[in-house]
Amino acid sequence: MSSPADRPFRSVLYMPATNERALAKAATLACDAVIVDLEDAVAPEQKSEARKHLKDWFAARAAKPAATIIRINALSSEWGAEDLALARKLEPDGILLPKIDTPRDILEAGDALDDETAPETVKLWAMVETPKAVLNLGAIAELGRDPASRLAGLVAGTNDLAKDTGMLMTPDRRYLLPWLMQIVLAARAGGLVALDGVMNEFRDLHDFGRECTDGAAMGFDGKTLIHPAQIEPANKAFSPSEAAVAEARAIVEAFARPENAGKGVISLEGRMVERLHLMQAERLLGRAMRP
Ligand code: COA
Ligand code: MG
């Protein structure tokens, strides 16, 4: 895997490591990545059973889903070290660290992987789900500028944020918005992938579609999901729309015209278009052409 940002992360589906039926489906689903969970979707008394399922699944799986991320328990918990040791051996595309508070939490996990000489393709992802993590977002995202940190992306942990702050979760997520936007901003500052939090009401695909559109409008690269039915709407919302692709093409074509050669700013259908819009358009077309 080159840079994690080179591949899509529109739909990233959690599966409890204890759910064998879900794991068996993983390779057949159209999600861009799966997160096999050892943390909160697994009860304390099932932790070692979950590790065994995870190990068996890695050994048995014939086809690999687009990207595989393992969510371990916090390194400060009684299960964290053993989870990390196992995850390192399995060499997934990513290891997701829950409940991080500071950059140190990520550096510690990175040091442990380096000590075990884990391949550099094993990236770290960080859940942003504690009040401290939100307050420390700038410093956390800065790690993204140093490839040695392995940090590849930030994942909004909205259920934990609601639990830890007392914030009321409303369908429009109005109280959550400032923190979600901080996550996107930090991810961009650090060159990281930004994933929106889950929607718990997994039967409500109408509201889910709206929540995906909102997340895409905020600038997220994709959304974390809890149910296969959520994959298709997420893939759609986080892919460039036909209208956006047509507009990007028009901008690229306009700048390519001989009369616009060397110009910094041009007029296109009554609108000012600058070279920064050209860069934006080229980036969008790159995303649209990704397999
Ligand atoms: N990944 C893969 N397959 C899944 C899945 C998931 N996250 N969630 C459900 N499925 C499968 C089920 O196994 C079932 O297939 P089967 O009939 O072959 O067993 C099918 O999709 C339909 O499932 P459904 O009956 O609609 O849902 P459910 O009641 O079995 O499960 C949840 C609902 C919420 C318990 C389940 O979706 C889940 O565990 N999601 C992930 C939770 C998680 O990981 N949370 C941690 C992060 S927030
Ligand atoms: Mg959480």
Side-chain angles (χ1 to χ4, degrees), residues 13-17 19-23 25-26 29 35 37 39-42 71 159 198 200 202-203 225-229:
L13 177 64
Y14 284 103
M15 315 187 163
N19 187 338
E20 285 176 281
R21 291 180 72 103
L23 290 175
K25 282 201 183 67
L29 298 172
I35 300 175
D37 192 20
E39 200 222 9
D40 281 352
V42 175
R71 183 165 78 170
N159 282 322
V198 300
N200 299 332
F202 62 91
R203 302 269 182 236
L225 317 176
I226 53 170
H227 193 278

Side-chain angles (χ1 to χ4, degrees), residues 10 34 48 67 84 101 146 152 154 160 164 171 184 195 209 223 233 253 260 278-279 284:
R10 299 163 304 175
V34 297
S48 61
L84 185 64
D101 284 330
D146 176 8
L154 303 177
D160 271 294
D164 284 6
V184 173
L195 298 181
K223 191 166 177 69
E253 279 161 21
N260 290 332
L278 174 63
M279 285 162 64
L284 184 137

Side-chain angles (χ1 to χ4, degrees), residues 2-19:
S2 44
S3 155
D6 293 342
R7 60 197 297 174
F9 284 96
R10 299 163 304 175
S11 50
V12 179
L13 177 64
Y14 284 103
M15 315 187 163
T18 41
N19 187 338

Side-chain angles (χ1 to χ4, degrees), residues 171 173 196 199 201-217 223 225 229-238:
R173 304 198 292 175
D196 197 355
M199 179 166 147
E201 297 76 13
F202 62 91
R203 302 269 182 236
D204 186 349
L205 291 180
H206 179 264
D207 268 14
F208 181 72
R210 186 191 37 76
E211 200 167 292
C212 286
T213 311
D214 282 351
K223 191 166 177 69
L225 317 176
Q230 296 178 323
I231 295 172
E232 202 189 314
N235 283 347
K236 182 161 180 278
F238 289 96

